[in-house]
């Protein structure tokens, strides 16, 4: 996520940047104290702009009007000491209006309720061959078509590897989670072969790493997945989660409970 913080008071801009970093550890924040200079930087296409209103040369409302002519769906959050500009702010479809001094809870709430999704621009996120859904029931599409395995349990094996997100999983770990008991070694080997054969036939074998006694997901950049988006950007990922995670698999319940707590964490 790329953020612009525009405030003619340097300390106020830096303070707001610190709040953003506290919420979004991977944030890229640019602080600017001059609205004219900020317009020059607009070509960088910020996901969210935090804008003061009372500034010399160009006030925050005027700045936002010019910015929206360049990017109509930019997320604007006004942070100001004045309450009498709310009508003009929301006429510009602002995501939020925060009165100074801002605090981390106000900024978090604003970022969790952005008017425009940062994933809307499909030109910046090209469609990938492999699409995996984890929020709700687990499913996998390749080139838009559901993937069929010889065994239904093979799909659960793949789901567990997606859940572990690139970790090398031992046979013992997988058997313990998929069956919750020992004695399924032969069945597991059949599932592993089925998974590899199907992905080989579809030209997607590179997403599986396998060695003696271990297996894992590989080349995650080739996969479009809602769960991966959540791990990369929790704020946006919360918008994709609607109360269920790999709902058909019992081993997903513990992580589902964690997602429930995270969804409403303030």
């Amino acid at each position: 996520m790329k953020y612009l913080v525009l405030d003619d008071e340097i300390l106020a801009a830096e303070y707001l940047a610190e709040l953003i970093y506290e919420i979004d550890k991977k944030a890229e924040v640019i602080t600017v104290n001059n609205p004219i200079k900020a317009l020059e930087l607009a070509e960088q296409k910020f996901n969210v702009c935090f804008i003061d209103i009372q500034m010399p040369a160009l006030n925050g409302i005027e700045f936002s009007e010019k910015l929206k002519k360049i990017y109509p769906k930019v997320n604007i959050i006004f942070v100001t000491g004045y309450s009498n500009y709310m009508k003009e702010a929301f006429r510009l479809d602002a995501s939020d209006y925060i009165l100074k001094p801002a605090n981390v809870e106000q900024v978090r709430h604003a970022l969790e309720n952005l008017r425009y999704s940062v994933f809307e621009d499909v030109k910046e996120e090209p469609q990938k061959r492999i699409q995996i859904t984890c929020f709700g029931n687990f499913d996998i599409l390749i080139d838009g078509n559901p993937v069929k395995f010889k065994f239904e349990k093979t799909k659960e094996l793949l789901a567990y590897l997606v859940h572990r997100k690139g970790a090398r999983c031992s046979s013992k770990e997988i058997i313990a989670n998929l069956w919750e008991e020992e004695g399924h070694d032969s069945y597991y080997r059949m599932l592993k072969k089925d998974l590899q054969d199907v992905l080989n036939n579809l030209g997607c074998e590179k997403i599986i790493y396998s060695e003696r006694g271990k297996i894992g997901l590989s080349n995650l950049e080739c996969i479009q997945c809602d769960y991966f988006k959540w791990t990369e950007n929790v704020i946006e990922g919360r918008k994709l989660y609607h109360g269920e995670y790999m709902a058909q698999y019992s081993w997903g319940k513990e992580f589902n409970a964690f997602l429930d707590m995270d969804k409403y964490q303030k």
Side-chain angles (χ1 to χ4, degrees), residues 60-71:
I61 299 295
E62 295 167 335
F63 171 85
S64 300
E65 289 173 342
K66 292 181 181 295
L67 183 63
K68 286 184 71 69
K69 287 179 181 177
I70 304 171
Y71 299 115

Side-chain angles (χ1 to χ4, degrees), residues 138 140 147-161 178-179 187-199 249:
F138 174 82
I140 176 172
V147 177
K148 303 291 184 182
F149 297 104
K150 183 177 180 180
F151 305 104
E152 184 63 28
K153 201 76 173 173
T154 305
K155 187 175 179 180
E156 184 176 358
L157 169 60
L158 176 59
Y160 187 77
L161 298 181
L178 267 60
W179 288 279
Y187 190 11
Y188 165 67
R189 286 193 292 271
M190 287 192 297
L191 300 184
K192 184 177 175 181
K193 184 177 186 305
D194 183 30
L195 176 63
Q196 292 173 316
D197 287 348
V198 169
L199 293 177
Y249 305 129

